[in-house]
């Protein structure tokens, strides 16, 4: 996979553009050139790097990235829905990264649209003689993706930008565990088109399933130090149990959040503070929750959201007050209220309790939308209009969605991966 602006076809188009430029065009001031270029779609702006050396330097500068991002600040950021799926008989997760481009057609990134979009550029899939697990993606933050694989019982982590195929390998974590909770958060500097730093957190499983603990061990990697550091968090009551974390952490307002599998708690952690007691807190999930329901926990428009689906009824709550832990019910509707337009792929969706429905993710910028999985189909559900939109189907008949699925929100101008 090649970076934007590096293909031969781009060079040919650029050379024809150079010959067609009016002679006086090069006399425009730098401000006027940037004023014009920042209005181009991403692909066209990158192609313009090949027009001349002056334009290449202008578009490659942090000043241009700052102007480009500011020009589009009032528009919703583009994003895709990333997921991996597994074969239900072999339980294998393919290396390929599956993505659905959504929402903003103006972004129109060729890599996202490519059927060959994958994580194959990451080692050790092609360079190691040792057997390894497929590369799995675990979390996303500000356009970067955290991935992992295992070689001879050693867990390896990578942070990459799948659009630019830039990546960094993290040093091996200090300990080996069968199961860990994962958190990933980055701090963007959108003005200069870079990520200033990122952190990866591992929470190893505790020893005994039947016991609750007041202490929790953490392993945190910081891109600033390039090292893993061990921490211990203490709480005033026993709340930690062996398999208490569900999926990767949800990032919201600079904090990491995990949902407890068995207790009615959400655990919140601020990796940028130093005092243990201030770093960590618990939030009770909504009191109106339905026990035994299918659950979704995520973020939308800068707010934590919690949803349940039980006996055909959807309920969605939003955390209204972070300090008090107060939730408000923002959507509640029954499956029978959903309007299915004339789409044969969704014709049987209205049949009550006929098939398993999974809630996949909330839309990151549109609070009325969430994504569902039904009969190997990924569906967009507008909770206000009670309408459905078919997005895609899994190609393999024996495949099913893997647990990890998340919206991949992109900055308008491609972000750089900080070196560790």
């Amino acid at each position: 996979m090649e970076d934007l602006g590096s293909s031969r076809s781009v060079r040919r188009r650029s050379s024809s553009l150079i010959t067609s430029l009016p002679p006086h065009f090069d006399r425009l001031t730098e401000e006027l050139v940037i004023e014009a270029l920042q209005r181009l779609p991403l692909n066209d702006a990158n192609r313009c790097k090949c027009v001349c050396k002056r334009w290449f330097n202008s578009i490659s500068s942090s000043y241009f990235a700052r102007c480009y991002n500011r020009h589009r600040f009032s528009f919703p950021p583009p994003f895709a829905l990333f997921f991996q799926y597994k074969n239900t008989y072999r339980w294998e997760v393919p290396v390929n990264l599956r993505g659905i481009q959504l929402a903003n057609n103006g972004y129109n990134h060729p890599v996202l649209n490519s059927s060959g979009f994958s994580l194959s550029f990451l080692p050790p899939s092609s360079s190691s003689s040792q057997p390894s697990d497929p590369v799995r993606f675990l979390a996303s933050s500000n356009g970067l993706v955290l991935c992992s694989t295992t070689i001879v019982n050693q867990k390896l982590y990578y942070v990459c930008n799948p659009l630019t195929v830039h990546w960094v390998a993290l040093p091996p974590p200090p300990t080996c565990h069968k199961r860990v909770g994962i958190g990933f958060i980055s701090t963007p500097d959108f003005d200069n088109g870079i990520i200033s730093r990122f952190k990866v957190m591992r929470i190893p499983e505790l020893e005994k399933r039947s016991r609750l603990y007041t202490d929790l061990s953490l392993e945190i990697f910081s891109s600033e130090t390039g090292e893993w550091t061990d921490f211990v968090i203490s709480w005033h009551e026993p709340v930690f149990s062996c398999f208490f974390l569900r999926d990767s952490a949800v990032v919201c307002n600079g904090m990491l959040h995990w949902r407890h599998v068995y207790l009615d708690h959400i655990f919140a952690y601020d990796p940028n503070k130093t005092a243990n007691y201030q770093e960590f807190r618990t939030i009770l999930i909504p009191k109106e929750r339905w026990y035994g329901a299918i659950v979704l926990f995520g973020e939308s428009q800068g707010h934590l959201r919690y949803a349940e689906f039980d006996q055909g009824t959807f309920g969605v709550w939003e955390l209204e007050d972070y300090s008090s832990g107060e939730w408000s019910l923002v959507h509640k509707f029954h499956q029978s209220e959903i309007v299915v337009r004339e789409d044969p792929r969704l014709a049987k969706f209205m049949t009550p309790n006929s098939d398993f429905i999974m809630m996949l993710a909330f839309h990151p910028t549109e609070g009325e939308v969430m994504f569902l999985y039904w009969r190997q189909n990924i569906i967009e559900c507008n909770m206000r209009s009670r309408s459905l939109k078919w997005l895609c189907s899994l190609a393999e008949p024996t495949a099913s969605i893997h647990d990890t699925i998340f919206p991949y929100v992109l900055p308008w101008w491609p972000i750089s991966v900080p070196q560790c």
Side-chain angles (χ1 to χ4, degrees):
M1 206 179 314
E2 295 180 325
D3 290 345
L4 290 172
S6 62
S7 69
R8 294 180 179 177
S9 60
V10 170
R11 292 192 183 99
R12 286 196 295 268
R13 287 193 298 267
S14 300
S15 60
S16 62
L17 178 60
I18 294 173
T19 58
S20 63
L21 285 175
H24 60 273
F25 198 86
D26 195 49
R27 294 198 294 269
L28 292 175
T29 64
E30 189 75 7
E31 289 74 15
L32 286 176
V33 171
I34 290 179
E35 187 70 23
L37 293 177
Q38 70 180 359
R39 286 167 165 75
L40 294 175
L42 175 66
N43 296 337
D44 295 336
N46 271 281
R47 291 189 186 111
C48 286
K49 289 181 179 179
C50 300
V51 170
C52 62
K53 187 175 181 179
R54 178 191 177 194
W55 283 21
F56 177 86
N57 292 333
S58 297
I59 297 171
S60 302
S61 68
S62 60
Y63 177 70
F64 181 82
R66 180 161 59 251
C67 293
Y68 199 92
N69 286 323
R70 285 181 177 175
H71 180 70
R72 287 160 174 76
F73 179 76
S74 59
F75 298 95
F79 81 100
L81 194 67
F82 276 7
F83 63 94
Q84 284 174 304
Y85 58 79
K86 59 190 177 185
N87 186 299
T88 54
Y89 297 118
R90 297 182 180 179
W91 292 92
E92 294 177 351
V93 180
V95 172
N96 281 351
L97 185 65
R98 309 293 178 172
I100 308 172
Q101 187 178 353
L102 302 169
N104 201 312
N105 293 328
Y107 196 82
N108 195 28
H109 201 290
V111 178
L112 283 177
N113 292 334
S114 170
S115 60
F117 188 28
S118 74
L119 298 175
S120 58
F121 60 89
L122 292 175
S125 55
S126 60
S127 61
S128 175
S129 59
Q130 298 290 343
S132 64
D133 287 345
V135 176
R136 306 187 183 196
F137 62 85
L138 305 176
S140 173
S141 178
N142 293 306
L144 300 184
V145 174
L146 174 68
C147 310
S148 74
T149 188
T150 303
I151 302 180
V152 194
N153 297 324
Q154 177 65 64
K155 183 71 72 174
L156 302 177
Y157 294 96
Y158 306 97
V159 173
C160 69
N161 184 330
L163 298 185
T164 62
V165 300
H166 294 155
W167 58 273
V168 293
L170 276 59
T175 55
C176 182
H177 300 277
K178 291 183 179 179
R179 186 168 179 175
V180 295
I182 286 291
F184 175 53
I185 188 169
S186 64
T187 303
D189 180 359
F190 291 128
D191 282 349
N192 295 307
I194 64 171
I195 294 290
S196 59
R197 63 181 182 273
F198 67 81
K199 289 188 177 181
V200 177
M201 180 186 302
R202 287 175 21 119
I203 304 181
E205 62 181 358
L206 298 168
E207 294 179 359
K208 296 182 179 180
R209 301 187 184 187
S210 59
R211 177 184 166 188
L212 292 178
Y213 296 79
T214 56
D215 294 335
L216 186 66
S217 297
L218 307 177
E219 298 170 354
I220 299 180
F221 174 85
S222 171
S223 63
E224 294 179 293
T225 63
E227 297 178 346
W228 291 90
T229 307
D230 294 331
F231 289 91
V232 175
I233 288 181
S234 298
W235 196 239
H236 57 267
E237 58 179 328
V239 292
F240 307 115
S241 58
C242 183
F243 296 113
F244 73 94
L245 296 181
R246 177 65 177 169
D247 300 328
S248 299
V250 172
V251 180
C252 185
N253 297 321
M255 296 188 68
L256 300 169
H257 305 80
W258 292 269
R259 180 177 67 86
H260 200 297
V261 175
Y262 304 116
L263 301 180
D264 298 339
H265 287 85
I266 292 168
F267 296 97
Y269 179 78
D270 187 344
N272 296 315
K273 290 188 176 180
T274 55
N276 284 346
Y277 188 81
Q278 296 176 353
E279 293 174 336
F280 174 79
R281 61 167 296 183
T282 58
I283 303 171
L284 291 176
I285 62 176
K287 296 179 181 178
E288 305 96 324
R289 69 180 300 253
W290 313 319
Y291 291 93
I294 298 171
V295 170
L296 172 64
F297 174 56
E299 180 269 347
S300 179
Q301 297 180 315
H303 296 277
L304 290 177
R305 284 203 164 183
Y306 177 85
E308 292 188 345
F309 176 69
D310 184 45
Q311 298 183 356
T313 298
F314 293 89
V316 180
W317 292 264
E318 186 171 274
L319 186 60
E320 198 168 76
D321 190 321
Y322 204 94
S323 58
S324 65
E326 181 179 349
W327 297 80
S328 60
L329 182 65
V330 291
H331 294 286
K332 187 176 182 180
F333 57 97
H334 194 269
Q335 187 177 351
S336 61
E337 300 176 49
I338 296 177
V339 177
V340 179
R341 295 182 174 89
E342 296 181 2
D343 190 332
R345 294 165 294 199
L346 303 176
K348 296 183 179 181
F349 185 86
M350 296 293 296
T351 306
N353 303 320
S354 60
D355 291 284
F356 175 74
I357 297 174
M358 180 191 300
M359 296 178 292
L360 295 179
F362 298 109
H363 196 297
T365 60
E366 296 183 21
E368 313 303 330
V369 174
M370 70 174 172
F371 303 105
L372 308 176
Y373 176 66
W374 170 78
R375 285 191 171 187
Q376 293 190 304
N377 296 297
I378 296 180
I379 305 168
E380 179 182 299
C381 174
N382 189 304
M383 296 177 282
R384 180 171 295 277
S385 63
R386 309 286 199 265
S387 60
L388 300 179
K389 177 183 177 182
W390 179 87
L391 297 177
C392 79
S393 298
L394 302 189
E396 286 80 356
T398 60
S400 65
I401 285 285
H402 191 254
D403 288 340
T404 303
I405 181 166
F406 56 84
Y408 174 63
V409 181
L410 296 86
W412 282 104
W413 193 253
I415 210 83
S416 300
V417 182
Q419 298 299 313
C420 301

